[in-house]
Amino acid sequence: MQKSPSRLRFRSLRNPEFTKRQKTSSQKRMEPPAFNSQDQIPNIRSRLFIVWGILITAGMGLAINLYQLQIVRGSKLTQQARSQQMVNLRPYTPRRLVVDRINNVLAVDRPVYTLFAHPKLFDKSNQQMAEQLAPLLDKNATELVKTFQSQKSGITLATAVPEAIADRITGLRLNGLELIQKYSRFYPAEDLAADVVGYVNVDRRGQAGVEYSQEKLLERSVQTVRLSRAGNGALMPAHAPDGFLHFDDMQLQLTIDSRLQRAARTALKQQMEKFRAKRGAVIVMDALDGSLLALVSQPTYNPNEYSKSDISLFKNWTVADLYEPGSTFKPVNVAIALENGVIKPDDMFNDSGAIQVANYTIRNAQHNSYGRINIAQILQNSSNIGMVQIIQKLRPSVYYNWLERLGLGQTVDTDLPFEVRGRLKSQEEFIASPIEPATTSFGQGFSLTPLQLVQMHGALANGGKLVTPHVVRGLIDSKGQMHYSPDRPKPRQIFSATTTQKVVEMMETVVTEGTGKVSQIPGYRIAGKTGTAQKASPNGGYIPGARITSFVAILPVESPRYVVFALVDEPKGENAYGSTVAAPIVKSVMETLIPLEQLAPSQPVN
């Protein structure tokens, strides 16, 4: 039997258990849960302890890390930071100028430019650009157009554009061109003094001449400085030390006189062309101190274009090559004999035209004889027979010791580079064979440099002292004040003044009466000696038909001071002798030397 809904509703209201459950369920749905503070406090405290623990741990880690950075690694990190913030900079400083004795500039650093083209940036046609640049660069416009078409950027048009030309290129205001400045060594006199000055390479290092031997004097002493650098890498000049870009005004002064150098080179070239010679040299020395007023070697080169020259020309052969001096050594041998007292100035000798020494027969150059002649006449006629007889009066051991005292077999110790040592046979070989002293008496059988022969004749000119030939005077400032002069060996007294004056007077007769007549200059007393020697072969013996002609002069005779020497290697022709080839060169040089040094005439000039 079904129950009515109303009845069921009535019964549920009357059932207390049901009502209670229903009420409780309703309260759970409708009332918020009650908060129990005592249960939540332990949870908050644990969370706080965890947070504080993390913070303390992090703080301790930070403190430890700071200690490591500030204390343990502090100095190292400071140094590392400074190395990142600082930069080592060695400012560019030009090499010192090289000037001659009258302050003519022989070598100087000058700014030059490398010109780059970037055709992709041109705002004019290639043809228009080429037409404007061609006259300035001394190039063909058509070729420049082809160059512009070869690539779009980074084309090198010229590597040594002078500053004046660079300014004109800048003035054109052409887009697509770039000029990069650099410094280049420039030699205004070109080949005039290349034998002495030398040159520097692309790395600015001296390769020849005083540019090489005096590198330390030519490079200014500039210290490396440390400058601060900003974050973008720019240098901060506020931290630069005061005056770090300033440098001294010192310049290297030489003893060379450009006027005399030019006269010597001109005279030498003329004679070499006339006799089709292989090479030649001229040396002028002040015998009082060894200053070289002129030193010329021909052929030579232009140091501004050294890359186009033969590398053999970079060594000055007056100090780098040896030769047998021949008859120009005879006056030195006469001085040795006079100093040892084995001969007197008025002694007579018999020149029969030939003399037998051991298994050898020695003859005069022209195969002639001069009969009874004195010592002056031996020099006048360049008698080999007379010289052999003079030296035979000396014991070979004594003679050899004198040759060593003169420096044979040694170097001159000049300030020019690449100097070679002379050659002299060992004492045992020299003494054992009579032919050795005999050939040495007329300048053969040994070898020396042309500069060493000039040094020995300098001892005849200055009263018997062996001085050191040199081309460097010292460092001077822009006002001409000397600040540094190189230390040189003290002159060594070899001969007495009496001996040397007698020899010089004998040499004067060579000019007045003998083979050196062509070197006479009216009003001046000049001493001289010619030389025409066979040319030694590197393989031993002598080269057939080859000869070396030379002439050495000392002036003025009444007060000797200057030595003028000319040497011509392998002149061609039947009339090629020291008197015809070399003596005219010396005369021409002396005619320039006399007014430059203001030498008064020795006697009235007709």
Side-chain angles (χ1 to χ4, degrees), residues 61-321:
L62 181 62
I64 292 171
N65 194 32
L66 288 174
Y67 177 81
Q68 287 283 335
L69 295 175
Q70 296 289 341
I71 307 301
V72 178
R73 300 172 57 196
S75 59
K76 184 176 181 180
L77 291 174
T78 300
Q79 183 178 359
Q80 185 177 351
R82 286 177 179 174
S83 66
Q84 295 174 350
Q85 299 167 1
M86 305 290 286
V87 60
N88 291 329
L89 178 66
R90 189 179 188 275
Y92 167 81
T93 55
R95 286 169 74 92
R96 290 189 171 104
L97 273 72
V98 179
V99 298
D100 72 353
R101 67 190 300 224
I102 54 175
N103 293 326
N104 289 320
V105 176
L106 301 177
V108 62
D109 274 14
R110 65 168 183 173
V112 294
Y113 297 81
T114 299
L115 176 62
F116 295 96
H118 307 285
K120 67 179 182 181
L121 301 178
F122 287 174
D123 54 3
K124 295 183 178 182
S125 68
N126 289 349
Q127 184 65 36
Q128 290 175 319
M129 295 289 290
E131 289 175 353
Q132 289 188 270
L133 290 175
L136 299 178
L137 301 179
D138 193 22
K139 292 187 176 183
N140 182 275
T142 304
E143 294 298 324
L144 278 180
V145 172
K146 293 180 180 179
T147 302
F148 294 152
Q149 294 172 347
S150 63
Q151 58 189 75
K152 294 183 178 181
S153 182
I155 302 173
T156 303
L157 296 182
T159 57
V161 179
E163 191 170 24
I165 300 299
D167 290 340
R168 293 178 62 183
I169 293 174
T170 303
L172 296 176
R173 300 184 180 279
L174 299 173
N175 289 332
L177 299 180
E178 181 182 14
L179 287 165
I180 304 297
Q181 187 188 54
K182 62 179 181 178
Y183 279 85
S184 174
R185 197 66 160 169
F186 179 61
Y187 304 92
E190 297 184 342
D191 65 348
L192 177 64
D195 319 309
V196 176
V197 178
Y199 72 97
V200 297
N201 61 11
V202 292
D203 296 322
R204 299 179 53 76
R205 294 296 178 188
Q207 300 298 302
V210 295
E211 291 276 29
Y212 176 82
S213 63
Q214 307 302 314
E215 184 96 43
K216 292 182 179 179
L217 292 182
L218 289 170
E219 281 198 342
R220 291 184 170 93
S221 57
V222 178
Q223 296 181 350
T224 301
V225 295
R226 289 178 63 81
L227 298 179
S228 298
R229 188 166 56 184
N232 61 357
L235 297 178
M236 301 172 65
H239 295 85
D242 294 335
F244 84 102
L245 286 178
H246 295 288
F247 48 84
D248 63 73
D249 63 347
M250 300 293 181
Q251 44 196 339
L252 184 68
Q253 187 176 48
L254 305 182
T255 61
I256 298 296
D257 189 317
S258 294
R259 300 166 297 181
L260 193 62
Q261 183 87 357
R262 184 173 288 104
R265 189 174 296 282
T266 300
L268 177 61
K269 289 174 69 174
Q270 288 177 351
Q271 286 297 90
M272 287 181 60
E273 290 173 3
K274 180 179 179 180
F275 289 92
R276 307 185 309 279
K278 178 180 179 181
R279 60 181 180 176
V282 176
I283 303 174
V284 181
M285 186 179 79
D286 184 341
L288 294 185
D289 62 0
S291 300
L292 296 176
L293 307 184
L295 195 156
V296 173
S297 178
Q298 188 69 27
T300 187
Y301 64 98
N302 184 348
N304 294 315
E305 299 176 341
Y306 66 88
S307 60
K308 299 179 181 179
S309 304
D310 186 340
I311 192 173
S312 64
L313 299 177
F314 300 152
K315 288 186 178 182
N316 190 323
W317 75 281
T318 64
V319 298
D321 283 359

Side-chain angles (χ1 to χ4, degrees), residues 351-371:
D351 181 353
S352 61
I355 187 172
Q356 193 73 22
V357 179
N359 297 325
Y360 300 90
T361 300
I362 297 175
R363 303 181 187 277
N364 290 323
Q366 302 299 323
H367 294 269
N368 51 3
S369 61
Y370 299 100

